[in-house]
Amino acid sequence: METNAILVRFAEVFLKGGRRQWFTARLKESLQRQVRAVGDWRVRERHGLFLVVHPQAKGAELPEFTTSPELAAAIGRTFGVVSFSPCRLMTREISALEDLAVRIAESHVAGRSTFKVETSRADKEYPLDSVAINQRLGGLIHMRTGVPARMKDPEVTVHVQILQEGAAVYLDVLPGPGGLPVGTSGRVLLLLSGGIDSPVAGYLMMRRGCVADAIHFEAAPYTTPEARSKVLALASMLAAYEPSLRLHVVPFGALQARLRDGAPGRLLVILYRRFMVRIATRIAQREGLQALVTGDSLGQVASQTIENLSVIEAAAGLPLLRPLLTYDKMEAVALARRIGTYKTSVLPHDDCCSLFVPPHPETAARLDRVLEAEAAFDVEAMVDEPVAATEVIQFGE
Ligand code: ATP
Ligand code: MG
């Protein structure tokens, strides 16, 4: 049966060995979930390829060789997808391919400067080899249009992929997001502020195959409700990649006020952060999450020194991952724009870490001094209270 479909490719290199089936199953699940959310699409697996098809496909649902913006966006959110192509799925008889080549000549090659036909043949039993197919179809297209064939950088490439029981013909190869399928790399807890960096850090971890929850420390009543809606908006953008994402909102203002009243001002940011990672560790362990993730970038601001990052990390009971550690701000901003979080991140908001902080915070903290300052507090109780009062917000499923 002939139909328009989307051919979806994934990175073979990650799929070698015994885990192959498990990886492809995760990828199929997540592709299925993404495309179903935008329409009645199904994912079929054939010859190491995924095809996104309409269940009652008669070729009428999608215009030939294009995709809808919604469907393209859904595939673009599926980590593990390397590239995809809107294709014509058809019988592999040469006469049928020739008929299609004539149509493509008129609709897509006529009036262009150059073209080529590029065939790949998974089934070596096919009576014609790829060079012969290129010549047959290329000759036909040239005859119809007068457009010269060119092997190097042609304006139009007609791709023909001979499959076991048919053929896929396509014109475009569109980039996917890459990475690994969600659910293949463990579970993490993202410390999500309202800033630019942490949503990007979350995206990068999910792209690496992690399932993520997010945690936000809210300095209410010192911060505004707008600060919360901003974080909710960012979390829901991340949930577009992974609908199981939940946001844990921790009341943090009272703890901050207590630290302000009893600890040196210079150390406040570091103490806030140490309590954040303690609380995050507790919640992660309760939820079965294996690591914490922040948007820290080395040296981006005076407080993000190796010394400070080390002293903060010393309070974490789980690995603390920092995917943006080596990113320039410009690079983080570019990625934030690409994934669509930037505009929300730059809305004005109150940052709980600037609360009560003097103009010259510590830039080279020493663990012994920090521990000394913390000795004045009942650390356990200060963790227990906000953990018990944490609110959980679910997105999507
Ligand atoms: P971001 O843009 O993510 O806020 P930043 O460069 O502004 O990052 P900081 O504000 O110093 O850096 O925060 C460093 C990291 O600490 C953040 O990326 C985030 O992971 C975490 N963090 C900071 N404030 C909060 C908060 N209120 N709730 C949760 N995590 C936070
Ligand atoms: Mg910030």
Side-chain angles (χ1 to χ4, degrees):
M1 184 177 62
E2 291 220 1
T3 180
N4 295 331
I6 313 286
L7 193 157
V8 177
R9 301 174 198 84
F10 45 86
E12 298 279 345
V13 65
F14 294 122
L15 302 179
K16 298 268 144 73
R19 305 237 293 170
R20 186 192 167 103
Q21 283 202 327
W22 181 74
F23 265 94
T24 46
R26 298 288 83 71
L27 181 57
K28 190 172 178 181
E29 273 169 21
S30 87
L31 184 58
Q32 192 94 253
R33 195 168 52 215
Q34 290 289 353
V35 299
R36 284 226 176 124
V38 298
D40 193 13
W41 298 98
R42 294 293 141 81
V43 180
R44 303 256 163 79
E45 206 180 333
R46 264 196 226 165
H47 322 301
L49 297 171
F50 284 142
L51 292 163
V52 177
V53 293
H54 205 274
Q56 297 96 39
K58 292 179 197 70
E61 307 70 32
L62 275 177
E64 221 163 51
F65 308 123
T66 61
T67 172
S68 70
E70 295 75 24
L71 187 56
I75 298 171
R77 281 191 296 269
T78 311
F79 297 126
V81 171
V82 170
S83 65
F84 59 101
S85 297
C87 71
R88 184 84 182 149
L89 206 58
M90 55 188 293
T91 116
R92 59 186 210 172
E93 249 95 275
I94 191 68
S95 59
L97 290 170
E98 284 173 340
D99 290 345
L100 181 61
V102 168
R103 273 203 289 134
I104 290 176
E106 271 142 31
S107 58
H108 290 86
V109 181
R112 303 298 193 86
S113 57
T114 50
F115 83 99
K116 76 169 164 184
V117 178
E118 193 167 287
T119 302
S120 70
R121 200 176 50 138
D123 179 7
K124 303 296 174 202
E125 311 261 282
Y126 193 72
L128 297 170
D129 68 12
S130 28
V131 176
I133 300 171
N134 292 344
Q135 283 169 353
R136 285 275 280 266
L137 303 183
L140 207 51
I141 292 172
H142 174 67
M143 213 165 66
R144 289 283 167 146
T145 59
V147 174
R150 191 168 77 185
M151 294 309 108
K152 197 169 173 293
D153 298 325
E155 194 182 344
V156 182
T157 301
V158 181
H159 300 265
V160 178
Q161 196 160 337
I162 304 290
L163 308 170
Q164 213 82 49
E165 289 149 16
V169 178
Y170 55 90
L171 301 168
D172 297 317
V173 179
L174 306 166
L180 299 174
V182 165
T184 59
S185 298
R187 299 159 54 79
V188 299
L189 183 58
L190 167 70
L191 279 73
L192 182 63
S193 71
I196 295 168
D197 297 329
S198 44
V200 174
Y203 168 86
L204 288 173
M205 293 308 296
M206 293 194 290
R207 198 176 78 158
R208 222 46 224 159
C210 289
V211 170
D213 262 9
I215 186 168
H216 177 68
F217 296 87
E218 185 174 61
Y222 307 102
T223 50
T224 58
E226 286 77 41
R228 173 185 274 229
S229 28
K230 190 177 163 182
V231 173
L232 284 175
L234 291 170
S236 81
M237 290 175 197
L238 293 176
Y241 297 95
E242 192 205 304
S244 68
L245 184 140
R246 293 173 307 166
L247 174 67
H248 306 262
V249 182
V250 184
F252 203 56
L255 184 153
Q256 289 185 275
R258 251 149 97 184
L259 289 172
R260 169 201 58 190
D261 294 340
R266 285 173 64 81
L267 293 182
L268 277 179
V269 174
I270 288 162
L271 295 173
Y272 294 165
R273 287 292 162 73
R274 282 172 56 88
F275 275 95
M276 284 187 191
V277 300
R278 285 188 180 106
I279 293 168
T281 297
R282 197 70 91 61
I283 289 179
Q285 285 168 340
R286 188 185 74 195
E287 304 294 332
L289 308 169
Q290 301 154 296
L292 309 180
V293 177
T294 70
D296 288 309
S297 164
L298 187 60
Q300 188 186 84
V301 291
S303 63
Q304 288 172 330
T305 59
I306 281 278
E307 291 87 346
N308 287 7
L309 294 178
S310 308
V311 168
I312 292 162
E313 189 163 326
L318 286 170
L320 204 165
L321 308 177
R322 297 173 167 119
L324 296 188
L325 194 71
T326 61
Y327 274 49
D328 285 348
K329 194 72 193 182
M330 267 170 49
E331 293 167 324
V333 165
L335 196 44
R337 284 189 198 277
R338 218 181 74 206
I339 66 174
T341 52
Y342 182 78
K343 280 194 181 139
T344 304
S345 285
V346 294
L347 295 172
H349 81 302
D350 335 284
D351 176 6
C352 76
C353 286
S354 51
L355 197 63
F356 315 133
V357 171
H360 299 294
E362 184 60 66
T363 56
R366 285 178 42 181
L367 187 57
D368 53 351
R369 299 272 161 75
V370 170
L371 291 173
E372 226 168 80
E374 282 178 353
F377 296 93
D378 183 351
V379 172
E380 278 306 302
M382 284 167 74
V383 171
D384 289 342
E385 282 167 33
V387 166
T390 294
E391 190 184 328
V392 184
I393 299 165
Q394 175 91 48
F395 297 85
E397 288 167 7

